[in-house]
Amino acid sequence: RNAREIVAREERHLARRGDKLPRSVKLGAMIEVPSLLWQLDRLLPLTDFVSIGSNDLMQFLFASDREHPRLAGRYDPLSPTALCVVRSIAEKADQYDVPVNLCGEMAGRPLEAMALIGLGVRSISMAPAAVGPVKSMILKLDQSDLSEFIRPLLDEPVRTLRNELETYAKKRKIPV
């Protein structure tokens, strides 16, 4: 609400000066801390889009510094917990018709990007070097088949779904 008021105030200021106003201004939110997961019903109606900051969200979700050599291996972004968090954000954003994007290292790895697509994430951003490998994976992927495959796995009491997703990709000749 505060951000919208600031933008409106600036638009009024520009109008008073006779400056040209933008046709539209989109306001969004970064979801980078787990506490926002319980605020989505209040946040999403106020936004034009949301972006999941996977690096920070996963680090805070697992209370583990991803860059610390002794802690980085304590979580896997392909754990059922991490994937359920992403799925819940994507589903809630869909309920409010709010586009959701995921940015961070997770989006730039073909196997992780494949999992994101299976969870309903339709927009990912990544480093330029990751575009080719992720695009190659997407071109071979059947999203609806993957979604059906991944959903029941989210209830499994395992540390990671990495092996299951690698096997899925290998059987379908999806380059990951």
Side-chain angles (χ1 to χ4, degrees):
R1 287 184 192 111
N2 290 345
R4 288 202 181 279
E5 179 50 40
I6 290 168
V7 169
R9 184 175 46 220
E10 291 303 312
E11 286 176 334
R12 290 190 301 270
H13 172 72
L14 291 172
R16 281 193 306 272
R17 290 179 28 170
D19 292 336
K20 185 178 178 180
L21 297 177
R23 278 184 251 143
S24 71
V25 175
K26 305 264 186 208
L27 296 178
M30 285 291 292
I31 300 175
E32 296 180 297
V33 293
S35 60
L36 285 176
L37 300 174
W38 292 274
Q39 305 297 318
L40 294 175
D41 285 317
R42 289 188 287 217
L43 176 66
L44 291 169
L46 302 173
T47 62
D48 298 311
F49 65 92
V50 292
S51 187
I52 301 169
S54 66
N55 295 348
D56 288 337
L57 183 60
M58 295 304 150
Q59 178 173 309
F60 294 134
L61 182 67
F62 291 101
S64 183
D65 183 350
R66 69 182 182 273
E67 294 186 13
H68 190 285
R70 296 177 80 190
L71 301 176
R74 291 196 175 179
Y75 75 88
D76 186 333
L78 293 178
S79 73
T81 300
L83 296 177
C84 282
V85 165
V86 171
R87 179 188 65 180
S88 68
I89 295 168
E91 288 176 348
K92 188 63 76 168
D94 192 47
Q95 288 175 14
Y96 286 94
D97 198 28
V98 172
V100 63
N101 174 63
L102 187 135
C103 60
E105 293 174 24
M106 191 175 181
R109 296 185 200 122
L111 188 65
E112 283 86 341
M114 184 179 84
L116 295 171
I117 292 166
L119 297 172
V121 175
R122 297 293 173 260
S123 177
I124 54 179
S125 60
M126 65 198 72
V131 172
V134 171
K135 182 178 179 180
S136 294
M137 175 274 299
I138 290 171
L139 291 172
K140 297 285 187 177
L141 186 64
D142 178 338
Q143 181 272 320
S144 61
D145 180 62
L146 174 61
S147 292
E148 287 181 33
F149 173 79
I150 201 170
R151 287 203 179 263
L153 294 177
L154 296 176
D155 295 326
E156 294 296 316
V158 294
R159 186 172 176 272
T160 182
L161 298 179
R162 187 167 298 280
N163 291 337
E164 291 84 347
L165 290 166
E166 287 172 344
T167 300
Y168 174 91
K170 186 175 183 176
K171 284 182 179 178
R172 288 158 181 82
K173 296 181 174 39
I174 300 169
V176 292

